Amino acid sequence: MRILLTGFDPFGGETINPAYEAVQMVSDSAGGADIVKLEVPTVFRKGAAMVIEKLREINPDAVLSVGQAGGRAGITVEFVGINYIEARHPDNEGQAPDGEIIAADGEDAYFATLPAREIAEHINAHGIPASVSYSAGTYVCNDVLYSVLHYARHHAPALKAGFIHVPFAPEQVVGKREGLPSMHIGDIAKALEYAIEVIVCCGDGR
Amino acid sequence: MRILLTGFDPFGGETINPAYEAVQMVSDSAGGADIVKLEVPTVFRKGAAMVIEKLREINPDAVLSVGQAGGRAGITVEFVGINYIEARHPDNEGQAPDGEIIAADGEDAYFATLPAREIAEHINAHGIPASVSYSAGTYVCNDVLYSVLHYARHHAPALKAGFIHVPFAPEQVVGKREGLPSMHIGDIAKALEYAIEVIVCCGDGR
Amino acid sequence: MRILLTGFDPFGGETINPAYEAVQMVSDSAGGADIVKLEVPTVFRKGAAMVIEKLREINPDAVLSVGQAGGRAGITVEFVGINYIEARHPDNEGQAPDGEIIAADGEDAYFATLPAREIAEHINAHGIPASVSYSAGTYVCNDVLYSVLHYARHHAPALKAGFIHVPFAPEQVVGKREGLPSMHIGDIAKALEYAIEVIVCCGDGR
Amino acid sequence: MRILLTGFDPFGGETINPAYEAVQMVSDSAGGADIVKLEVPTVFRKGAAMVIEKLREINPDAVLSVGQAGGRAGITVEFVGINYIEARHPDNEGQAPDGEIIAADGEDAYFATLPAREIAEHINAHGIPASVSYSAGTYVCNDVLYSVLHYARHHAPALKAGFIHVPFAPEQVVGKREGLPSMHIGDIAKALEYAIEVIVCCGDGR
């Protein structure tokens, strides 16, 4: 089984992105699968296009994208991507869409086709806090999730696709406002490996 | 230099206490000091008495007590202990003081004599979120902090004393309400070692 | 212009639902419209069916449903309803769907057709905190939102539909865990009237 | 019975201070007492000096100071003032003490002499969320609380003194980060009147 595992580059003034830091730590054979990793620029449209290009190239069985959701305390497995982007802060190329549809021919939203609940429960079972999230926001993360699901719907019906948001790393919250949660990057990487175990064993679960 | 490092046992239905878990991971020669460790029962009066007994026995240069503050996101270094205990949930022997003075002959509060701000800043400098806290609560943690400071004031003026609260471990927040922060126990242990470095180098700072 | 304004009855052990309390306080001619009010049971399927029955009966220009989102600090205007219900706590008739599709023939989600952003901005302009939310959850609130949007898509294309979540009332957070936000019910009612002003003036905005 | 009720002027870039807004709304004969109101500048040392000057002038039975604690969700009744000031943001005259003792001859802290718990419980009983706080921070609020308690200890032993922190008003959180709680100013004013009822009836309770 081949799985594309993507992580974004740093954005919003951060020097690291815990998503890609953790992706790099995941074993290339996690869950017994062939894990192909890709760093994705935090740029509207371009990030999604790069993931889809890679999907066309390597034709994996599943794609799991990983992004930073600063402020969340646990791993969150996204349930749905919506056909809408809006940014309060510009992306890494200075774009800040002010409420745009992603795909003119797309439905309002698509559910992720990786089993969000099973993934969250499996991560929890290993002592790392995780839950299902019903909003991936309206930033580049949602852009990638929706765009990939839209691509799969029309061009790769067997492809399973999903998205995981991860908290800030501890070093990122130092100096920010008090009370911001964080997660050890090693634990984030483990959570991704547990997610991959679910994808390998039961990605068709839903 | 000899430092007494104490951690509480689990309470409130938890099966671990990240405070003592982390204390156990601290090197016995952290900061070049002679670290003596003590597990303390989460019991009003008795916990404090046990720490003070150990202080009399080994006569250390400093004592750092460590407790769990579930719900806090970072390491918090306590600035002050108050002469008051009140519990919403019973301690490990079923006591729940309903607003009591700890020491009839004590002042309303004592400032910790370990340098809280320097400790927090040194932990931060190593990428682990930490801040000074101005309330150690009214539970057994505050009981130990105040009681030790009261003892030092009257019987061991050279002794430096302080308290560090630590977040839940990740496994503790699984299944609790969403959004509860946690911290990797290995990172908590590192934070304690950084605190010890400050105690060794500059415990007289304030 | 006729607007159906719905609010849920109390659930989850609460004795009031601030949503319906506020709905009752809204002027029957808010925004110059003809406001028809409906109390809706917090019951999966049945709540949605009752709203749709009322829509068929009075054939309004717009429908705004209002529900309680305990724990949120401000008014949140929902952007999207999803074709999925899942409950951790039973509804008022003891049902707790464990992950069900609402409409077998429906798309994964529908965007609200009332202008969420304009409504939030207009409420903010009057000094009451409001924002757009991209998840109405998976409880009865989302059931009503999605079901109404599904109905409108197929049977009432001119009907504008949306949903507003409101915080707990102050009296509801007394005795709950510390730090839970709340909002004065009179302010919630004002926010609903500001929302109605937007619906009347510019409900076709999107 | 005469009660001095003080509230701070706006600070930190705010155009209102909900503390003084609410103080102004309190009845001059709340609880049957003679309520004397004073607006206090948010300035280290000067604010405290002005309150103490007024205490000398009118010689009240009790003094209740009220300040804004942005970010807190409910009314918090302070239990203790500490002999320490430290500011991250300058006060209204540009001072930002970097860790100073307030009174060289003072104890580390003094407990408020108004009954914090009874006040919080009485406010709760009227449906407004309130709790006891064990830290008044290290800003001008704590400066006033500690300074007044220090003055009372040495010069006015019969004077009862305490402090209440109040949340942001709703209009203050508009445009700030999402999730910040707020409270209707009319409800804050009511809470102050309930506090005064406790002071009148049972201010000697502790």
Side-chain angles (χ1 to χ4, degrees), chain B residues 31-55:
Chain B
D34 169 26
I35 308 297
V36 179
K37 299 171 184 177
L38 180 69
E39 185 173 10
V40 177
T42 302
V43 177
F44 284 102
R45 314 277 182 184
K46 181 189 279 189
M50 188 177 297
V51 175
I52 290 169
E53 184 188 316
K54 194 75 175 180
L55 290 173

Side-chain angles (χ1 to χ4, degrees), chain B residues 79-100:
Chain B
F79 191 86
V80 57
I82 66 172
N83 190 3
Y84 186 77
I85 46 177
E86 184 186 316
R88 295 186 194 176
H89 303 100
D91 67 18
N92 284 348
E93 292 192 353
Q95 305 173 85
D98 187 29
E100 297 176 11

Side-chain angles (χ1 to χ4, degrees), chain D residues 60-194:
Chain D
D61 301 283
V63 51
L64 177 61
S65 297
V66 189
Q68 162 192 306
R72 293 192 186 175
I75 300 289
T76 46
V77 190
E78 298 297 342
F79 190 86
V80 56
I82 66 173
N83 191 2
Y84 185 78
I85 45 177
E86 184 187 315
R88 296 187 193 175
H89 303 100
D91 68 16
N92 284 349
E93 291 191 355
Q95 306 173 82
D98 188 30
E100 295 176 10
I101 292 300
I102 295 171
D105 64 335
E107 295 185 7
D108 284 355
Y110 298 114
F111 290 164
T113 46
L114 288 174
R117 187 157 127 183
E118 287 76 3
I119 291 173
E121 287 172 353
H122 189 62
I123 295 170
N124 275 334
H126 286 84
I128 298 175
S131 59
V132 176
S133 161
Y134 296 93
S135 172
T138 62
Y139 202 62
V140 181
C141 293
N142 176 68
D143 188 22
V144 164
L145 173 57
Y146 179 85
S147 298
V148 166
L149 290 167
H150 182 62
Y151 163 79
R153 180 77 68 108
H154 290 91
H155 304 288
L159 175 70
K160 301 292 176 186
F163 198 101
I164 283 182
H165 265 122
V166 306
F168 279 135
E171 64 195 85
Q172 292 180 282
V173 305
V174 169
K176 291 200 173 73
R177 70 175 169 83
E178 256 179 67
L180 271 179
S182 63
M183 188 176 280
H184 186 72
I185 292 177
D187 286 347
I188 297 176
K190 280 186 197 164
L192 297 182
E193 296 195 344
Y194 299 135

Side-chain angles (χ1 to χ4, degrees), chain B residues 12-155:
Chain B
E14 301 293 331
T15 55
I16 65 161
N17 188 320
Y20 190 62
E21 299 292 320
V23 162
Q24 286 176 288
M25 293 170 69
V26 168
S27 162
D28 290 336
S29 58
D34 169 26
I35 308 297
V36 179
K37 299 171 184 177
L38 180 69
E39 185 173 10
V40 177
T42 302
V43 177
F44 284 102
R45 314 277 182 184
K46 181 189 279 189
M50 188 177 297
V51 175
I52 290 169
E53 184 188 316
K54 194 75 175 180
L55 290 173
R56 289 190 200 274
E57 176 192 331
I58 67 168
N59 194 27
D61 300 284
V63 51
L64 177 61
S65 297
V66 188
Q68 162 192 305
R72 293 193 186 173
I75 299 289
T76 45
V77 190
E78 298 298 343
F79 191 86
V80 57
I82 66 172
N83 190 3
Y84 186 77
I85 46 177
E86 184 186 316
R88 295 186 194 176
H89 303 100
D91 67 18
N92 284 348
E93 292 192 353
Q95 305 173 85
D98 187 29
E100 297 176 11
I101 293 299
I102 296 170
D105 64 337
E107 296 185 6
D108 284 355
Y110 298 114
F111 289 165
T113 45
L114 289 174
R117 188 158 125 183
E118 287 76 2
I119 291 172
E121 288 172 352
H122 188 63
I123 295 170
N124 275 334
H126 286 83
I128 298 174
S131 59
V132 176
S133 161
Y134 297 92
S135 172
T138 62
Y139 202 60
V140 181
C141 293
N142 176 68
D143 188 21
V144 164
L145 173 57
Y146 180 85
S147 299
V148 166
L149 290 167
H150 183 62
Y151 163 79
R153 179 75 69 109
H154 291 90
H155 302 290

Side-chain angles (χ1 to χ4, degrees), chain A residues 79-80 82-84 86 88 98-99 101 107-112 117 131-132 134-135 137-138 153 206, chain C residues 79-80 82-84 86 88 98-99 101 107-112 117 131-132 134-135 137-138 153 206:
Chain A
F79 190 86
V80 56
I82 67 173
N83 191 2
Y84 186 76
E86 184 186 316
R88 295 187 192 174
D98 188 30
I101 292 300
E107 296 185 6
D108 284 354
Y110 298 114
F111 289 164
R117 188 158 126 182
S131 58
V132 176
Y134 297 92
S135 172
T138 62
R153 181 75 70 107
R206 269 183 14 132
Chain C
F79 190 87
V80 57
I82 66 173
N83 191 3
Y84 185 78
E86 184 187 315
R88 294 185 193 178
D98 188 29
I101 292 301
E107 296 185 7
D108 284 354
Y110 298 114
F111 290 164
R117 189 158 124 181
S131 59
V132 176
Y134 297 93
S135 172
T138 62
R153 180 76 69 107
R206 272 186 7 131

